[in-house]
Amino acid sequence: MTALVARNIVAGYVPDLPILKGVSLSAEAARVTVIIGPNGAGKSTLIKAIAGLVPVSGGMVHLNGAEITNPRPDRMGALGVAYVPQSDNIFRSLTIRQNLDLVLRNAGKDAAARREALFTRFPALADKQSEKAGALSGGQRQFLAVAMALAINPSVILMDEPSAGLSPKAAQEVLEYAKSLTEQGVTILLVEQNVKQALRLADHCYILADGRNQVDGAAQDLLNDPVVGQIYLGGKRVTHA
Amino acid sequence: MIQNLVDGVLVGSILSLGAIGLTMAMHMLRFANFSHAELLSIGAYAALVFDGLFGAIHPALPEAIPPLSLTWSLTLALLLSMALTGLSAVAVDKLVFKRVRAKGGELSMVFASFGVAMIIRNILGLIFGLNPKLYSQDIVFAIVVSRDPFLLIKPDQVFTLVAALLIMFILHLVLSRTTFGYSLRAVAENPTLAQVSGINLNRMIVLIWLIGGGLAAAAGVFYGLTNQINPVLGRDLVLPIFAATIVGGIGSIYGAVLGGFLVGLASNLALVILPSGYSPAVPFLIILAVLILRPHGLFGEERT
Amino acid sequence: MIGIISYLVFFATVASILSIAVLGLNLQWGNTGLFNGGVVAFFGAGAYGTLILGGTPQAGQLGGFGLPYLLALLGGMTCAGLVAWIVGLLTIRLRHDYLAIATFGVAVAFETVMRNTDALGGAQGIRGFERPLRETLGNGFTYNLAFFVFVLILLIATYLFLERLIQSPFGRLLRAIREDETAAQSLGKSPSRVRLTSFVAGSVIMGLAGGLYATFYAFISPQDVLPILTFQIWAMLIVGGAGNNKGAVMGTFLIWAAWTASGWALSRFAPLEVQLYTGSIQFVLIGFVIVGMLLWRPQGLFPEKLVVSQSAKNKSRLSNT
């Protein structure tokens, strides 16, 4: 079953200068879908356009069959879609506990129970719950960001380069955790620079270049594809203009 | 000297109340709002009007609360004025700032705020006259706390300080204990992330104006209670309040509180060495000193 | 008849002097995007500087150096530039609100210092200045006409200088920085230094206007450097259209005419008890002019010809990571 579909998306910050020039994508439910591509291909823009942070001027986005093109970003959570930005994805001046209470503020009586459930899932965060989130290590920050996303019980999580700036070990942990969420029925759509690791975990992969779809297919196939291998997996890096 | 210290703390508490709202709005909407100090004037005059109305409604209300000159009716008027001033701040945003914002002119907002300040200040002057007004004609004598060093304090001043500190303490509880407070801090730190965390930015802007306007009104009434009310109150306080936000670091609420006290103290202590005529220039010297020593203020973060 | 002509010359002289100040502001705001909240400080520095340097000695007053007039005028402009350089150095690298607040502050401080320091004239202002060539031209209409021509020549010179400047590579750089600082930076230019240069240059021009103003009245006092002058000068630029020098001059004449006419009408036709509030009414009006223009015609009445630079087009690419 398809959870999230984007069709012919045209989007950009300035009306006449689209960064995405008609990109399509669909993310299967309870699967990991990864978007890769060279710098400037529009990967982050695509995920931001879905999240309502970049205006979409053409095309449509559907979530479980219902149209959600150009949503108000603050209403995405209510639709069951969580978005984890690439950097600055936690509130540094708040404590870890306050970060979680903030996203749980509309949960009413359940809030405390749900917060404790998250602390059970992430014991490392529970130990530091009264510390300022800004004091966390990179990997822990990323887990706090994921915990904040999970707080709203999302059906879809959009992640923008979750492994950026992390040590290889921490990156692997975060990606594996994202993968494990699919077992609970969560759909994951992520942008990654860390192509090899991402392809190993992902089910399906889209390659973008210059705001357009380039190739897509099962992640396994792309991992073994010699051309993709040469361009993205350690072979000569080709930079698209 | 000791008198200057005490007066400085008192003025500081008033500046702090004004600076809190200014720093929040300035950080979130990213413009130096030169009309913020006019909210103090609106608050002071609104309380004057409400005070008169309450006095007319019930004869017991205009009774002073000993040993203050503050009356019961003025206390009620203060609360009503805080609400009204908050609403006026929202209204000004709706009528002017929001529309200028929509046209994309971040810098035009500064111009607009000057225009708004001129309009508010002079309309108040046209309505209430250019002469100073007082909440109470009763003379409440200052109490001589000590003769050597000589120290005079009016009961109203003590009340003002306590009330201002109480308001700031309530704000502190809200910021550190409630999810609404977390939302305010979240918006101040990272508006985009706040938005994807489910916070409605437009609603927060309205709330920030309400809070900022309410606190400004309290500051205006306290100023009127310990000095006098006049239409150029905003003009005289705009620079000290800006100095307070710069000392604290633009965007930092706690910085604004501390900045207010520091500016109040510095301005009054400066009078020990400078003739009083120079006091309007002191906030500028403080701003210069901060810009040289610590450009982002005590608690501010670098943000371009 | 001679009365009307004499008034027109008087009006045109003041309007031309103010036009020079508005042109200075246009360089800062219209061409560079720098907000100056304290135009009067730079105007005032030029005025006080000129009179102190060019005046005759007075008891208890600084100066009276009796320099030749043009040298005194240049000195006044230097004073304005110096104040601008100090304020600019401290604030120009920071968020734009800091410049707005600091310039507003410098104007308040300037007025306060002038009002309270007897050596700088105090509340009475600077006296003892002889208008140049007064002995040759007398004190009457001839002198005023000659002075108007002098001001007009300086206005035209300033105008031509600024037009040249904005066509030059430096001018293109200013616009590039106004539109997109990052892009300009990537060209290897230091935006702070360019902005500081523009800020100081604009302030020197305001200083020139201040010097001429003080010369015209042979007098300057703290009453002449009140914040209202800053608002008037802004209103002139906003009405004329920021970025456009021709518009700036037209806006100045228009607003100055409206200001004097409204003042005259209020003093002539308003009842006596209202006349006390003439200032308040005029301030409200000028507030509405500023806000109204920003809301309904932000490009001004005589807008700048649109120049879309390459850097604006590149902006969207830069923000995509």
Side-chain angles (χ1 to χ4, degrees):
Chain A
M1 206 194 97
T2 315
L4 188 72
V5 183
R7 237 181 248 119
N8 294 321
I9 300 297
V10 180
Y13 297 90
V14 186
D16 300 328
L17 298 158
I19 297 163
L20 300 176
K21 300 151 188 165
V23 175
S24 299
L25 160 155
S26 63
E28 289 294 306
R31 293 279 185 277
V32 177
T33 304
V34 65
I35 309 167
I36 61 175
N39 277 333
K43 306 178 299 272
S44 290
T45 310
L46 176 57
I47 217 163
K48 283 180 188 158
I50 295 171
L53 294 170
V54 174
V56 173
S57 53
M60 280 200 274
V61 183
H62 286 86
L63 175 72
N64 299 322
E67 195 194 332
I68 57 156
T69 321
N70 282 323
R72 250 177 53 186
D74 55 294
R75 291 201 176 145
M76 286 299 276
L79 298 171
V81 182
Y83 165 70
V84 183
Q86 179 186 339
S87 52
D88 289 331
N89 49 20
I90 48 142
F91 296 106
R92 280 170 291 142
S93 61
L94 302 182
T95 66
I96 288 152
R97 194 181 157 135
Q98 288 171 343
N99 266 286
L100 291 176
D101 285 345
L102 175 71
V103 276
L104 285 166
R105 72 194 176 290
N106 294 326
K109 282 193 212 114
D110 296 342
R114 276 163 69 180
R115 186 217 310 138
E116 292 317 310
L118 286 167
F119 278 144
T120 318
R121 280 168 95 163
F122 302 98
L125 296 180
D127 296 342
K128 297 186 169 180
Q129 55 175 295
S130 309
E131 283 178 31
K132 289 264 157 72
L136 291 175
S137 71
Q140 286 171 329
R141 277 191 201 193
Q142 213 54 259
F143 274 110
L144 175 57
V146 172
M148 285 164 72
L150 288 173
I152 58 159
N153 293 330
S155 64
V156 178
I157 302 182
L158 313 171
M159 300 174 100
D160 196 348
E161 299 200 28
S163 74
L166 299 187
S167 68
K169 183 168 165 282
Q172 188 65 23
E173 276 173 21
V174 169
L175 289 173
E176 272 169 16
Y177 191 82
K179 169 83 174 172
S180 75
L181 291 172
T182 57
E183 287 155 27
Q184 295 149 42
V186 181
T187 307
I188 307 282
L189 176 62
L190 55 87
V191 165
E192 259 303 336
Q193 295 274 24
N194 213 330
V195 175
K196 207 179 266 180
Q197 265 175 322
L199 282 179
R200 286 209 186 101
L201 285 164
D203 298 290
H204 201 85
C205 173
Y206 286 84
I207 301 180
L208 304 190
D210 195 24
R212 292 194 173 81
N213 287 73
Q214 203 75 359
V215 187
D216 79 274
Q220 270 308 313
D221 298 348
L222 291 180
L223 193 59
N224 299 324
D225 185 298
V227 179
V228 173
Q230 199 199 353
I231 299 175
Y232 296 108
L233 305 175
K236 206 169 37 170
R237 253 196 112 92
V238 177
T239 15
H240 294 241
Chain B
M1 181 77 182
I2 186 94
Q3 182 78 53
N4 294 88
L5 271 174
V6 171
D7 290 345
V9 170
L10 182 86
V11 174
S13 66
I14 292 171
L15 296 180
S16 294
L17 286 177
I20 292 169
L22 177 61
T23 208
M24 287 198 290
M26 198 150 74
H27 185 68
M28 177 135 180
L29 302 174
R30 312 207 63 186
F31 79 108
N33 180 9
F34 281 85
S35 66
H36 190 82
E38 304 309 320
L39 295 173
L40 275 76
S41 307
I42 294 183
Y45 279 107
L48 186 71
V49 173
F50 289 136
D51 184 36
L53 287 178
F54 285 127
I57 290 171
H58 196 283
L61 288 172
E63 299 274 317
I65 310 169
L68 310 173
S69 80
L70 177 80
T71 59
W72 293 107
S73 55
L74 183 59
T75 314
L76 289 174
L78 165 67
L79 298 174
L80 211 55
S81 160
M82 286 172 76
L84 183 91
T85 310
L87 290 174
S88 342
V90 175
V92 170
D93 185 57
K94 275 239 151 64
L95 286 172
V96 181
F97 297 141
K98 201 175 177 185
R99 298 193 198 179
V100 177
R101 220 163 38 234
K103 289 187 198 286
E106 213 174 72
L107 278 161
S108 303
M109 303 267 283
V110 188
F111 275 118
S113 76
F114 265 103
V116 167
M118 298 272 287
I119 295 170
I120 295 177
R121 186 183 305 155
N122 290 290
I123 285 184
L124 285 174
L126 288 173
I127 297 175
F128 295 99
L130 301 174
N131 296 322
K133 295 222 181 313
L134 294 170
Y135 287 120
S136 164
Q137 302 305 327
D138 301 342
I139 295 162
V140 175
F141 289 103
I143 297 165
V144 182
V145 180
S146 131
R147 286 197 184 279
D148 187 34
F150 194 69
L151 180 59
L152 276 176
I153 295 180
K154 285 187 195 161
D156 285 333
Q157 294 179 317
V158 178
F159 163 78
T160 293
L161 182 63
V162 172
L165 289 175
L166 185 70
I167 290 173
M168 288 184 249
F169 182 66
I170 293 170
L171 186 70
H172 164 69
L173 289 182
V174 169
L175 287 172
S176 62
R177 300 285 156 84
T178 68
T179 50
F180 169 63
Y182 305 161
S183 316
L184 273 176
R185 286 159 63 195
V187 168
E189 184 186 317
N190 186 339
T192 312
L193 183 61
Q195 225 179 346
V196 298
S197 306
I199 294 169
N200 181 339
L201 281 191
N202 284 327
R203 190 178 299 157
M204 289 308 276
I205 292 173
V206 169
L207 289 168
I208 283 175
W209 285 119
L210 272 177
I211 297 172
L215 296 178
V221 173
F222 294 159
Y223 186 87
L225 195 61
T226 48
N227 295 286
Q228 44 174 240
I229 317 160
N230 63 55
V232 292
L233 186 157
R235 185 198 72 193
D236 294 342
L237 291 181
V238 62
L239 197 58
I241 291 176
F242 266 125
T245 65
I246 289 183
V247 169
I250 294 173
S252 166
I253 294 169
Y254 294 104
V257 171
L258 192 61
F261 281 106
L262 286 175
V263 172
L265 277 171
S267 304
N268 274 278
L269 286 178
L271 295 182
V272 177
I273 40 172
L274 282 177
S276 66
Y278 287 99
S279 65
V282 176
F284 175 67
L285 294 179
I286 298 171
I287 291 173
L288 281 191
V290 173
L291 292 180
I292 293 168
L293 299 171
R294 205 181 156 86
H296 298 286
L298 294 173
F299 299 113
E301 282 183 33
E302 190 159 352
R303 187 173 152 182
T304 46
Chain C
M1 190 61 200
I2 191 80
I4 294 174
I5 292 175
S6 145
Y7 181 77
L8 282 179
V9 168
F10 167 77
F11 172 85
T13 308
V14 178
S16 302
I17 292 173
L18 291 172
S19 295
I20 295 176
V22 175
L23 285 176
L25 183 67
N26 195 24
L27 176 63
Q28 297 176 341
W29 164 249
N31 295 105
T32 327
L34 294 170
F35 186 93
N36 187 342
V39 176
V40 282
F42 309 103
F43 186 88
Y48 272 87
T50 305
L51 292 205
I52 289 173
L53 292 171
T56 54
Q58 300 287 308
Q61 197 173 288
L62 175 80
F65 296 105
L67 290 187
Y69 177 65
L70 289 179
L71 223 53
L73 191 59
L74 273 175
M77 291 161 72
T78 313
C79 292
L82 222 58
V83 176
W85 184 71
I86 294 168
V87 174
L89 210 57
L90 290 173
T91 51
I92 224 136
R93 278 169 296 109
L94 302 168
R95 277 169 62 173
H96 63 74
D97 357 12
Y98 285 95
L99 183 67
I101 298 166
T103 45
F104 178 76
V106 82
V108 172
F110 185 83
E111 187 207 326
T112 306
V113 169
M114 293 307 153
R115 194 179 288 284
N116 289 284
T117 312
D118 290 333
L120 293 168
Q124 270 78 47
I126 298 268
R127 277 151 299 125
F129 177 78
E130 279 284 320
R131 302 212 289 181
L133 302 180
R134 200 178 64 96
E135 277 153 30
T136 328
L137 296 168
N139 243 345
F141 180 70
T142 327
Y143 189 94
N144 287 347
L145 194 63
F147 190 73
F148 170 60
V149 172
F150 175 61
V151 169
L152 200 61
I153 290 169
L154 285 174
L155 171 61
I156 293 168
T158 310
Y159 178 89
L160 292 177
F161 167 72
L162 288 173
E163 284 291 310
R164 269 287 160 81
L165 188 75
I166 54 174
Q167 301 300 331
S168 73
F170 182 79
R172 281 199 293 279
L173 200 57
L174 287 184
R175 275 193 302 281
I177 289 170
R178 185 186 65 176
E179 279 163 25
D180 189 338
E181 186 162 321
T182 355
Q185 208 153 16
S186 65
L187 294 171
K189 306 290 177 185
S190 152
S192 321
R193 186 182 294 172
V194 175
R195 288 157 79 195
L196 184 60
T197 311
S198 158
F199 183 67
V200 172
S203 301
V204 168
I205 294 172
M206 291 170 190
L208 169 65
L212 292 171
Y213 181 87
T215 312
F216 184 53
Y217 288 103
F219 173 70
I220 191 84
S221 82
Q223 284 310 107
D224 298 307
V225 292
L226 296 177
I228 184 64
L229 184 60
T230 301
F231 302 129
Q232 289 169 330
I233 287 174
W234 283 352
M236 290 163 183
L237 182 60
I238 293 175
V239 165
N244 168 8
N245 287 330
K246 210 173 289 169
V249 176
M250 290 199 270
T252 309
F253 275 78
L254 197 64
I255 287 293
W256 189 240
W259 180 268
T260 27
S262 65
W264 175 79
L266 282 166
S267 68
R268 179 85 195 255
F269 301 114
L272 205 61
E273 59 272 23
V274 175
Q275 288 195 18
L276 186 62
Y277 293 93
T278 301
S280 300
I281 295 169
Q282 282 186 299
F283 292 177
V284 171
L285 290 178
I286 209 149
F288 275 116
V289 166
I290 291 177
V291 173
M293 286 299 292
L294 291 173
L295 285 180
W296 292 296
R297 211 177 152 82
Q299 74 277 31
L301 296 181
F302 318 99
E304 177 187 25
K305 278 172 241 102
L306 193 66
V307 189
V308 177
S309 74
Q310 199 54 39
S311 67
K313 286 182 184 165
N314 290 336
K315 204 169 190 173
S316 59
R317 286 196 199 151
L318 286 170
S319 39
N320 175 34
T321 44

